[in-house]
PDB file of all heavy atoms in Angstrom:
ATOM      1  N   GLY D  90     -91.306  12.964 -10.162  1.00 98.00           N
ATOM      2  CA  GLY D  90     -91.901  13.065  -8.835  1.00 98.00           C
ATOM      3  C   GLY D  90     -92.339  14.514  -8.574  1.00 98.00           C
ATOM      4  O   GLY D  90     -91.537  15.329  -8.133  1.00 98.00           O
ATOM      5  N   VAL D  91     -93.611  14.833  -8.910  1.00 98.00           N
ATOM      6  CA  VAL D  91     -94.069  16.207  -8.774  1.00 98.00           C
ATOM      7  C   VAL D  91     -94.830  16.364  -7.443  1.00 98.00           C
ATOM      8  O   VAL D  91     -96.023  16.630  -7.416  1.00 98.00           O
ATOM      9  CB  VAL D  91     -94.931  16.621  -9.971  1.00 98.00           C
ATOM     10  CG1 VAL D  91     -95.204  18.120  -9.979  1.00 98.00           C
ATOM     11  CG2 VAL D  91     -94.285  16.210 -11.297  1.00 98.00           C
ATOM     12  N   GLY D  92     -94.134  16.120  -6.349  1.00 97.00           N
ATOM     13  CA  GLY D  92     -94.739  16.326  -5.006  1.00 97.00           C
ATOM     14  C   GLY D  92     -94.297  17.651  -4.435  1.00 97.00           C
ATOM     15  O   GLY D  92     -94.138  18.641  -5.182  1.00 97.00           O
ATOM     16  N   ASN D  93     -94.077  17.744  -3.146  1.00 97.00           N
ATOM     17  CA  ASN D  93     -93.688  19.015  -2.491  1.00 97.00           C
ATOM     18  C   ASN D  93     -92.434  19.611  -3.103  1.00 97.00           C
ATOM     19  O   ASN D  93     -92.407  20.754  -3.573  1.00 97.00           O
ATOM     20  CB  ASN D  93     -93.457  18.758  -1.000  1.00 97.00           C
ATOM     21  CG  ASN D  93     -94.736  18.459  -0.271  1.00 97.00           C
ATOM     22  OD1 ASN D  93     -95.726  19.182  -0.413  1.00 97.00           O
ATOM     23  ND2 ASN D  93     -94.715  17.380   0.505  1.00 97.00           N
ATOM     24  N   LEU D  94     -91.399  18.794  -3.108  1.00 97.00           N
ATOM     25  CA  LEU D  94     -90.087  19.297  -3.599  1.00 97.00           C
ATOM     26  C   LEU D  94     -90.144  19.487  -5.126  1.00 97.00           C
ATOM     27  O   LEU D  94     -89.689  20.479  -5.669  1.00 97.00           O
ATOM     28  CB  LEU D  94     -89.004  18.322  -3.184  1.00 97.00           C
ATOM     29  CG  LEU D  94     -87.572  18.725  -3.523  1.00 97.00           C
ATOM     30  CD1 LEU D  94     -87.227  20.065  -2.890  1.00 97.00           C
ATOM     31  CD2 LEU D  94     -86.604  17.653  -2.984  1.00 97.00           C
ATOM     32  N   GLY D  95     -90.672  18.470  -5.810  1.00 97.00           N
ATOM     33  CA  GLY D  95     -90.724  18.535  -7.284  1.00 97.00           C
ATOM     34  C   GLY D  95     -91.488  19.762  -7.760  1.00 97.00           C
ATOM     35  O   GLY D  95     -91.068  20.431  -8.710  1.00 97.00           O
ATOM     36  N   HIS D  96     -92.592  20.037  -7.066  1.00 96.00           N
ATOM     37  CA  HIS D  96     -93.401  21.196  -7.376  1.00 96.00           C
ATOM     38  C   HIS D  96     -92.605  22.491  -7.320  1.00 96.00           C
ATOM     39  O   HIS D  96     -92.650  23.350  -8.196  1.00 96.00           O
ATOM     40  CB  HIS D  96     -94.508  21.287  -6.348  1.00 96.00           C
ATOM     41  CG  HIS D  96     -95.845  21.431  -6.977  1.00 96.00           C
ATOM     42  ND1 HIS D  96     -96.867  20.502  -6.766  1.00 96.00           N
ATOM     43  CD2 HIS D  96     -96.324  22.341  -7.821  1.00 96.00           C
ATOM     44  CE1 HIS D  96     -97.907  20.884  -7.469  1.00 96.00           C
ATOM     45  NE2 HIS D  96     -97.610  21.967  -8.116  1.00 96.00           N
ATOM     46  N   ALA D  97     -91.871  22.619  -6.219  1.00 95.00           N
ATOM     47  CA  ALA D  97     -91.064  23.824  -6.032  1.00 95.00           C
ATOM     48  C   ALA D  97     -90.020  23.982  -7.126  1.00 95.00           C
ATOM     49  O   ALA D  97     -89.821  25.080  -7.653  1.00 95.00           O
ATOM     50  CB  ALA D  97     -90.360  23.752  -4.665  1.00 95.00           C
ATOM     51  N   LEU D  98     -89.406  22.855  -7.522  1.00 95.00           N
ATOM     52  CA  LEU D  98     -88.409  22.934  -8.587  1.00 95.00           C
ATOM     53  C   LEU D  98     -88.998  23.252  -9.929  1.00 95.00           C
ATOM     54  O   LEU D  98     -88.475  24.013 -10.729  1.00 95.00           O
ATOM     55  CB  LEU D  98     -87.641  21.587  -8.675  1.00 95.00           C
ATOM     56  CG  LEU D  98     -86.749  21.290  -7.432  1.00 95.00           C
ATOM     57  CD1 LEU D  98     -86.181  19.895  -7.515  1.00 95.00           C
ATOM     58  CD2 LEU D  98     -85.587  22.328  -7.348  1.00 95.00           C
ATOM     59  N   LEU D  99     -90.204  22.707 -10.152  1.00 94.00           N
ATOM     60  CA  LEU D  99     -90.922  22.995 -11.433  1.00 94.00           C
ATOM     61  C   LEU D  99     -91.246  24.509 -11.510  1.00 94.00           C
ATOM     62  O   LEU D  99     -91.084  25.152 -12.515  1.00 94.00           O
ATOM     63  CB  LEU D  99     -92.235  22.262 -11.496  1.00 94.00           C
ATOM     64  CG  LEU D  99     -92.322  20.972 -12.267  1.00 94.00           C
ATOM     65  CD1 LEU D  99     -93.773  20.563 -12.462  1.00 94.00           C
ATOM     66  CD2 LEU D  99     -91.635  21.097 -13.616  1.00 94.00           C
ATOM     67  N   ASN D 100     -91.681  25.013 -10.341  1.00 92.00           N
ATOM     68  CA  ASN D 100     -92.054  26.412 -10.278  1.00 92.00           C
ATOM     69  C   ASN D 100     -90.864  27.313 -10.484  1.00 92.00           C
ATOM     70  O   ASN D 100     -90.912  28.339 -11.172  1.00 92.00           O
ATOM     71  CB  ASN D 100     -92.725  26.656  -8.905  1.00 92.00           C
ATOM     72  CG  ASN D 100     -93.177  28.075  -8.783  1.00 92.00           C
ATOM     73  OD1 ASN D 100     -92.473  28.891  -8.178  1.00 92.00           O
ATOM     74  ND2 ASN D 100     -94.268  28.387  -9.381  1.00 92.00           N
ATOM     75  N   PHE D 101     -89.728  26.912  -9.950  1.00 88.00           N
ATOM     76  CA  PHE D 101     -88.471  27.683 -10.109  1.00 88.00           C
ATOM     77  C   PHE D 101     -87.942  27.583 -11.513  1.00 88.00           C
ATOM     78  O   PHE D 101     -87.667  28.569 -12.186  1.00 88.00           O
ATOM     79  CB  PHE D 101     -87.446  27.162  -9.063  1.00 88.00           C
ATOM     80  CG  PHE D 101     -86.062  27.653  -9.292  1.00 88.00           C
ATOM     81  CD1 PHE D 101     -85.770  28.996  -9.278  1.00 88.00           C
ATOM     82  CD2 PHE D 101     -85.023  26.739  -9.479  1.00 88.00           C
ATOM     83  CE1 PHE D 101     -84.464  29.437  -9.456  1.00 88.00           C
ATOM     84  CE2 PHE D 101     -83.729  27.183  -9.680  1.00 88.00           C
ATOM     85  CZ  PHE D 101     -83.436  28.521  -9.663  1.00 88.00           C
ATOM     86  N   ASN D 102     -87.846  26.367 -11.989  1.00 83.00           N
ATOM     87  CA  ASN D 102     -87.450  26.025 -13.334  1.00 83.00           C
ATOM     88  C   ASN D 102     -86.201  26.731 -13.892  1.00 83.00           C
ATOM     89  O   ASN D 102     -86.095  27.035 -15.080  1.00 83.00           O
ATOM     90  CB  ASN D 102     -88.588  26.170 -14.366  1.00 83.00           C
ATOM     91  CG  ASN D 102     -88.460  25.137 -15.434  1.00 83.00           C
ATOM     92  OD1 ASN D 102     -87.399  24.499 -15.631  1.00 83.00           O
ATOM     93  ND2 ASN D 102     -89.475  24.958 -16.287  1.00 83.00           N
ATOM     94  N   PHE D 103     -85.287  27.065 -13.019  1.00 81.00           N
ATOM     95  CA  PHE D 103     -83.943  27.498 -13.428  1.00 81.00           C
ATOM     96  C   PHE D 103     -83.918  28.682 -14.391  1.00 81.00           C
ATOM     97  O   PHE D 103     -82.993  28.849 -15.188  1.00 81.00           O
ATOM     98  CB  PHE D 103     -83.153  26.334 -14.025  1.00 81.00           C
ATOM     99  CG  PHE D 103     -83.189  25.101 -13.179  1.00 81.00           C
ATOM    100  CD1 PHE D 103     -84.090  24.070 -13.409  1.00 81.00           C
ATOM    101  CD2 PHE D 103     -82.384  25.012 -12.046  1.00 81.00           C
ATOM    102  CE1 PHE D 103     -84.167  22.969 -12.585  1.00 81.00           C
ATOM    103  CE2 PHE D 103     -82.445  23.905 -11.206  1.00 81.00           C
ATOM    104  CZ  PHE D 103     -83.345  22.900 -11.487  1.00 81.00           C
ATOM    105  N   HIS D 104     -84.946  29.544 -14.282  1.00 67.00           N
ATOM    106  CA  HIS D 104     -85.049  30.681 -15.209  1.00 67.00           C
ATOM    107  C   HIS D 104     -83.809  31.547 -15.215  1.00 67.00           C
ATOM    108  O   HIS D 104     -83.368  32.004 -16.244  1.00 67.00           O
ATOM    109  CB  HIS D 104     -86.243  31.575 -14.842  1.00 67.00           C
ATOM    110  CG  HIS D 104     -87.558  30.885 -15.107  1.00 67.00           C
ATOM    111  ND1 HIS D 104     -87.854  30.341 -16.305  1.00 67.00           N
ATOM    112  CD2 HIS D 104     -88.644  30.745 -14.315  1.00 67.00           C
ATOM    113  CE1 HIS D 104     -89.069  29.815 -16.248  1.00 67.00           C
ATOM    114  NE2 HIS D 104     -89.566  30.063 -15.060  1.00 67.00           N
ATOM    115  N   LYS D 105     -83.218  31.742 -14.016  1.00 57.00           N
ATOM    116  CA  LYS D 105     -82.137  32.697 -13.949  1.00 57.00           C
ATOM    117  C   LYS D 105     -80.915  32.267 -14.721  1.00 57.00           C
ATOM    118  O   LYS D 105     -80.198  33.068 -15.263  1.00 57.00           O
ATOM    119  CB  LYS D 105     -81.743  32.928 -12.440  1.00 57.00           C
ATOM    120  CG  LYS D 105     -82.720  33.867 -11.771  1.00 57.00           C
ATOM    121  CD  LYS D 105     -82.355  34.047 -10.334  1.00 57.00           C
ATOM    122  CE  LYS D 105     -83.548  33.781  -9.450  1.00 57.00           C
ATOM    123  NZ  LYS D 105     -83.422  32.769  -8.466  1.00 57.00           N
ATOM    124  N   ASP D 106     -80.665  30.951 -14.774  1.00 55.00           N
ATOM    125  CA  ASP D 106     -79.474  30.515 -15.447  1.00 55.00           C
ATOM    126  C   ASP D 106     -79.636  30.415 -16.961  1.00 55.00           C
ATOM    127  O   ASP D 106     -78.664  30.362 -17.690  1.00 55.00           O
ATOM    128  CB  ASP D 106     -79.020  29.149 -14.908  1.00 55.00           C
ATOM    129  CG  ASP D 106     -78.396  29.323 -13.534  1.00 55.00           C
ATOM    130  OD1 ASP D 106     -77.978  30.452 -13.255  1.00 55.00           O
ATOM    131  OD2 ASP D 106     -78.385  28.369 -12.748  1.00 55.00           O
ATOM    132  N   GLY D 107     -80.869  30.400 -17.404  1.00 68.00           N
ATOM    133  CA  GLY D 107     -81.118  30.554 -18.822  1.00 68.00           C
ATOM    134  C   GLY D 107     -80.891  29.355 -19.715  1.00 68.00           C
ATOM    135  O   GLY D 107     -81.625  29.168 -20.682  1.00 68.00           O
ATOM    136  N   ASN D 108     -79.904  28.514 -19.425  1.00 78.00           N
ATOM    137  CA  ASN D 108     -79.571  27.481 -20.405  1.00 78.00           C
ATOM    138  C   ASN D 108     -80.101  26.103 -19.976  1.00 78.00           C
ATOM    139  O   ASN D 108     -79.861  25.116 -20.682  1.00 78.00           O
ATOM    140  CB  ASN D 108     -78.057  27.386 -20.620  1.00 78.00           C
ATOM    141  CG  ASN D 108     -77.377  26.757 -19.416  1.00 78.00           C
ATOM    142  OD1 ASN D 108     -77.779  26.994 -18.297  1.00 78.00           O
ATOM    143  ND2 ASN D 108     -76.394  25.942 -19.703  1.00 78.00           N
ATOM    144  N   VAL D 109     -80.793  25.989 -18.865  1.00 86.00           N
ATOM    145  CA  VAL D 109     -81.340  24.729 -18.430  1.00 86.00           C
ATOM    146  C   VAL D 109     -82.839  24.922 -18.155  1.00 86.00           C
ATOM    147  O   VAL D 109     -83.212  25.961 -17.543  1.00 86.00           O
ATOM    148  CB  VAL D 109     -80.690  24.237 -17.113  1.00 86.00           C
ATOM    149  CG1 VAL D 109     -81.230  22.875 -16.691  1.00 86.00           C
ATOM    150  CG2 VAL D 109     -79.178  24.196 -17.252  1.00 86.00           C
ATOM    151  N   ARG D 110     -83.644  23.994 -18.571  1.00 90.00           N
ATOM    152  CA  ARG D 110     -85.029  24.076 -18.170  1.00 90.00           C
ATOM    153  C   ARG D 110     -85.644  22.703 -18.059  1.00 90.00           C
ATOM    154  O   ARG D 110     -85.191  21.770 -18.737  1.00 90.00           O
ATOM    155  CB  ARG D 110     -85.840  24.947 -19.172  1.00 90.00           C
ATOM    156  CG  ARG D 110     -85.889  24.309 -20.531  1.00 90.00           C
ATOM    157  CD  ARG D 110     -87.076  24.769 -21.332  1.00 90.00           C
ATOM    158  NE  ARG D 110     -87.155  23.894 -22.496  1.00 90.00           N
ATOM    159  CZ  ARG D 110     -87.962  24.091 -23.481  1.00 90.00           C
ATOM    160  NH1 ARG D 110     -88.759  25.094 -23.513  1.00 90.00           N
ATOM    161  NH2 ARG D 110     -88.003  23.237 -24.507  1.00 90.00           N
ATOM    162  N   ILE D 111     -86.636  22.579 -17.178  1.00 94.00           N
ATOM    163  CA  ILE D 111     -87.341  21.324 -17.063  1.00 94.00           C
ATOM    164  C   ILE D 111     -88.416  21.344 -18.162  1.00 94.00           C
ATOM    165  O   ILE D 111     -89.228  22.234 -18.201  1.00 94.00           O
ATOM    166  CB  ILE D 111     -88.015  21.187 -15.691  1.00 94.00           C
ATOM    167  CG1 ILE D 111     -86.956  21.242 -14.561  1.00 94.00           C
ATOM    168  CG2 ILE D 111     -88.819  19.886 -15.607  1.00 94.00           C
ATOM    169  CD1 ILE D 111     -87.516  21.376 -13.173  1.00 94.00           C
ATOM    170  N   SER D 112     -88.329  20.379 -19.078  1.00 92.00           N
ATOM    171  CA  SER D 112     -89.260  20.391 -20.190  1.00 92.00           C
ATOM    172  C   SER D 112     -90.263  19.252 -20.099  1.00 92.00           C
ATOM    173  O   SER D 112     -91.222  19.209 -20.890  1.00 92.00           O
ATOM    174  CB  SER D 112     -88.511  20.320 -21.530  1.00 92.00           C
ATOM    175  OG  SER D 112     -87.742  19.166 -21.565  1.00 92.00           O
ATOM    176  N   ALA D 113     -90.061  18.330 -19.180  1.00 96.00           N
ATOM    177  CA  ALA D 113     -91.033  17.245 -19.003  1.00 96.00           C
ATOM    178  C   ALA D 113     -91.020  16.802 -17.550  1.00 96.00           C
ATOM    179  O   ALA D 113     -89.936  16.811 -16.928  1.00 96.00           O
ATOM    180  CB  ALA D 113     -90.676  16.046 -19.903  1.00 96.00           C
ATOM    181  N   ALA D 114     -92.157  16.425 -17.018  1.00 97.00           N
ATOM    182  CA  ALA D 114     -92.219  15.886 -15.665  1.00 97.00           C
ATOM    183  C   ALA D 114     -92.981  14.587 -15.690  1.00 97.00           C
ATOM    184  O   ALA D 114     -93.760  14.297 -16.613  1.00 97.00           O
ATOM    185  CB  ALA D 114     -92.900  16.897 -14.749  1.00 97.00           C
ATOM    186  N   PHE D 115     -92.760  13.764 -14.665  1.00 98.00           N
ATOM    187  CA  PHE D 115     -93.365  12.441 -14.583  1.00 98.00           C
ATOM    188  C   PHE D 115     -93.849  12.159 -13.189  1.00 98.00           C
ATOM    189  O   PHE D 115     -93.191  12.573 -12.209  1.00 98.00           O
ATOM    190  CB  PHE D 115     -92.343  11.345 -15.011  1.00 98.00           C
ATOM    191  CG  PHE D 115     -91.839  11.506 -16.402  1.00 98.00           C
ATOM    192  CD1 PHE D 115     -90.773  12.317 -16.686  1.00 98.00           C
ATOM    193  CD2 PHE D 115     -92.519  10.853 -17.445  1.00 98.00           C
ATOM    194  CE1 PHE D 115     -90.327  12.487 -17.997  1.00 98.00           C
ATOM    195  CE2 PHE D 115     -92.069  11.013 -18.751  1.00 98.00           C
ATOM    196  CZ  PHE D 115     -90.978  11.847 -19.036  1.00 98.00           C
ATOM    197  N   ASP D 116     -94.986  11.469 -13.097  1.00 98.00           N
ATOM    198  CA  ASP D 116     -95.509  11.120 -11.764  1.00 98.00           C
ATOM    199  C   ASP D 116     -96.462   9.905 -11.924  1.00 98.00           C
ATOM    200  O   ASP D 116     -96.784   9.534 -13.039  1.00 98.00           O
ATOM    201  CB  ASP D 116     -96.255  12.315 -11.127  1.00 98.00           C
ATOM    202  CG  ASP D 116     -96.253  12.264  -9.620  1.00 98.00           C
ATOM    203  OD1 ASP D 116     -96.941  11.389  -9.048  1.00 98.00           O
ATOM    204  OD2 ASP D 116     -95.553  13.077  -8.976  1.00 98.00           O
ATOM    205  N   THR D 117     -96.848   9.355 -10.768  1.00 98.00           N
ATOM    206  CA  THR D 117     -97.806   8.239 -10.782  1.00 98.00           C
ATOM    207  C   THR D 117     -99.215   8.692 -10.411  1.00 98.00           C
ATOM    208  O   THR D 117    -100.158   7.955 -10.546  1.00 98.00           O
ATOM    209  CB  THR D 117     -97.395   7.159  -9.730  1.00 98.00           C
ATOM    210  OG1 THR D 117     -97.048   7.842  -8.530  1.00 98.00           O
ATOM    211  CG2 THR D 117     -96.245   6.293 -10.226  1.00 98.00           C
ATOM    212  N   ASN D 118     -99.312   9.907  -9.912  1.00 98.00           N
ATOM    213  CA  ASN D 118    -100.564  10.418  -9.347  1.00 98.00           C
ATOM    214  C   ASN D 118    -101.520  10.824 -10.491  1.00 98.00           C
ATOM    215  O   ASN D 118    -101.253  11.788 -11.216  1.00 98.00           O
ATOM    216  CB  ASN D 118    -100.240  11.623  -8.440  1.00 98.00           C
ATOM    217  CG  ASN D 118    -101.489  12.154  -7.764  1.00 98.00           C
ATOM    218  OD1 ASN D 118    -102.602  11.766  -8.074  1.00 98.00           O
ATOM    219  ND2 ASN D 118    -101.260  13.067  -6.841  1.00 98.00           N
ATOM    220  N   ASP D 119    -102.636  10.060 -10.581  1.00 97.00           N
ATOM    221  CA  ASP D 119    -103.658  10.338 -11.649  1.00 97.00           C
ATOM    222  C   ASP D 119    -104.170  11.769 -11.614  1.00 97.00           C
ATOM    223  O   ASP D 119    -104.585  12.286 -12.641  1.00 97.00           O
ATOM    224  CB  ASP D 119    -104.829   9.360 -11.511  1.00 97.00           C
ATOM    225  CG  ASP D 119    -104.435   7.970 -11.945  1.00 97.00           C
ATOM    226  OD1 ASP D 119    -103.420   7.851 -12.672  1.00 97.00           O
ATOM    227  OD2 ASP D 119    -105.100   7.007 -11.527  1.00 97.00           O
ATOM    228  N   ALA D 120    -104.155  12.373 -10.432  1.00 97.00           N
ATOM    229  CA  ALA D 120    -104.694  13.717 -10.327  1.00 97.00           C
ATOM    230  C   ALA D 120    -103.827  14.762 -11.047  1.00 97.00           C
ATOM    231  O   ALA D 120    -104.303  15.868 -11.384  1.00 97.00           O
ATOM    232  CB  ALA D 120    -104.849  14.119  -8.846  1.00 97.00           C
ATOM    233  N   ILE D 121    -102.566  14.478 -11.265  1.00 96.00           N
ATOM    234  CA  ILE D 121    -101.711  15.497 -11.888  1.00 96.00           C
ATOM    235  C   ILE D 121    -101.131  15.076 -13.264  1.00 96.00           C
ATOM    236  O   ILE D 121    -100.661  15.935 -13.988  1.00 96.00           O
ATOM    237  CB  ILE D 121    -100.559  15.918 -10.958  1.00 96.00           C
ATOM    238  CG1 ILE D 121     -99.740  14.729 -10.473  1.00 96.00           C
ATOM    239  CG2 ILE D 121    -101.060  16.758  -9.791  1.00 96.00           C
ATOM    240  CD1 ILE D 121     -98.490  15.133  -9.681  1.00 96.00           C
ATOM    241  N   VAL D 122    -101.194  13.759 -13.581  1.00 96.00           N
ATOM    242  CA  VAL D 122    -100.624  13.367 -14.884  1.00 96.00           C
ATOM    243  C   VAL D 122    -101.548  13.804 -16.031  1.00 96.00           C
ATOM    244  O   VAL D 122    -102.716  14.086 -15.849  1.00 96.00           O
ATOM    245  CB  VAL D 122    -100.312  11.863 -14.983  1.00 96.00           C
ATOM    246  CG1 VAL D 122     -99.276  11.451 -13.947  1.00 96.00           C
ATOM    247  CG2 VAL D 122    -101.581  11.031 -14.876  1.00 96.00           C
ATOM    248  N   ASN D 123    -100.945  13.931 -17.178  1.00 95.00           N
ATOM    249  CA  ASN D 123    -101.620  14.391 -18.393  1.00 95.00           C
ATOM    250  C   ASN D 123    -102.143  15.808 -18.255  1.00 95.00           C
ATOM    251  O   ASN D 123    -103.162  16.181 -18.843  1.00 95.00           O
ATOM    252  CB  ASN D 123    -102.747  13.429 -18.808  1.00 95.00           C
ATOM    253  CG  ASN D 123    -102.172  12.065 -19.187  1.00 95.00           C
ATOM    254  OD1 ASN D 123    -101.153  11.991 -19.887  1.00 95.00           O
ATOM    255  ND2 ASN D 123    -102.779  10.995 -18.740  1.00 95.00           N
ATOM    256  N   LYS D 124    -101.509  16.574 -17.376  1.00 94.00           N
ATOM    257  CA  LYS D 124    -101.853  17.995 -17.215  1.00 94.00           C
ATOM    258  C   LYS D 124    -100.592  18.802 -17.368  1.00 94.00           C
ATOM    259  O   LYS D 124     -99.481  18.277 -17.321  1.00 94.00           O
ATOM    260  CB  LYS D 124    -102.479  18.241 -15.837  1.00 94.00           C
ATOM    261  CG  LYS D 124    -103.799  17.510 -15.615  1.00 94.00           C
ATOM    262  CD  LYS D 124    -104.566  18.137 -14.447  1.00 94.00           C
ATOM    263  CE  LYS D 124    -105.958  17.521 -14.414  1.00 94.00           C
ATOM    264  NZ  LYS D 124    -106.174  16.678 -13.247  1.00 94.00           N
ATOM    265  N   ILE D 125    -100.808  20.122 -17.501  1.00 93.00           N
ATOM    266  CA  ILE D 125     -99.657  21.018 -17.579  1.00 93.00           C
ATOM    267  C   ILE D 125     -99.487  21.636 -16.176  1.00 93.00           C
ATOM    268  O   ILE D 125    -100.437  22.167 -15.639  1.00 93.00           O
ATOM    269  CB  ILE D 125     -99.860  22.148 -18.623  1.00 93.00           C
ATOM    270  CG1 ILE D 125    -100.231  21.577 -19.961  1.00 93.00           C
ATOM    271  CG2 ILE D 125     -98.689  23.078 -18.675  1.00 93.00           C
ATOM    272  CD1 ILE D 125     -99.098  21.105 -20.837  1.00 93.00           C
ATOM    273  N   GLN D 126     -98.289  21.541 -15.690  1.00 94.00           N
ATOM    274  CA  GLN D 126     -98.023  22.116 -14.340  1.00 94.00           C
ATOM    275  C   GLN D 126     -96.886  23.128 -14.490  1.00 94.00           C
ATOM    276  O   GLN D 126     -95.818  22.791 -14.982  1.00 94.00           O
ATOM    277  CB  GLN D 126     -97.542  20.945 -13.482  1.00 94.00           C
ATOM    278  CG  GLN D 126     -97.381  21.243 -12.024  1.00 94.00           C
ATOM    279  CD  GLN D 126     -98.699  21.135 -11.276  1.00 94.00           C
ATOM    280  OE1 GLN D 126     -99.357  20.090 -11.348  1.00 94.00           O
ATOM    281  NE2 GLN D 126     -99.098  22.191 -10.607  1.00 94.00           N
ATOM    282  N   ASP D 127     -97.174  24.396 -14.117  1.00 92.00           N
ATOM    283  CA  ASP D 127     -96.148  25.473 -14.274  1.00 92.00           C
ATOM    284  C   ASP D 127     -95.565  25.469 -15.687  1.00 92.00           C
ATOM    285  O   ASP D 127     -94.354  25.647 -15.855  1.00 92.00           O
ATOM    286  CB  ASP D 127     -95.021  25.287 -13.235  1.00 92.00           C
ATOM    287  CG  ASP D 127     -95.532  25.486 -11.833  1.00 92.00           C
ATOM    288  OD1 ASP D 127     -96.068  26.560 -11.526  1.00 92.00           O
ATOM    289  OD2 ASP D 127     -95.409  24.555 -11.037  1.00 92.00           O
ATOM    290  N   GLY D 128     -96.430  25.231 -16.673  1.00 89.00           N
ATOM    291  CA  GLY D 128     -95.963  25.313 -18.082  1.00 89.00           C
ATOM    292  C   GLY D 128     -95.263  24.064 -18.547  1.00 89.00           C
ATOM    293  O   GLY D 128     -94.742  24.018 -19.674  1.00 89.00           O
ATOM    294  N   VAL D 129     -95.221  23.007 -17.726  1.00 93.00           N
ATOM    295  CA  VAL D 129     -94.494  21.785 -18.085  1.00 93.00           C
ATOM    296  C   VAL D 129     -95.456  20.613 -18.121  1.00 93.00           C
ATOM    297  O   VAL D 129     -96.219  20.407 -17.166  1.00 93.00           O
ATOM    298  CB  VAL D 129     -93.364  21.509 -17.049  1.00 93.00           C
ATOM    299  CG1 VAL D 129     -92.624  20.215 -17.380  1.00 93.00           C
ATOM    300  CG2 VAL D 129     -92.379  22.689 -17.018  1.00 93.00           C
TER     301      VAL D 129
END
Side-chain angles (χ1 to χ4, degrees):
V91 191
N93 291 311
L94 185 56
H96 231 121
L98 293 172
L99 262 192
N100 182 261
F101 168 59
N102 212 348
F103 311 98
H104 291 310
K105 280 178 232 124
D106 286 337
N108 74 322
V109 183
R110 63 156 192 189
I111 300 169
S112 59
F115 297 87
D116 207 289
T117 44
N118 183 351
D119 287 339
I121 55 172
V122 298
N123 295 317
K124 295 199 173 112
I125 306 278
Q126 188 84 55
D127 294 302
V129 177

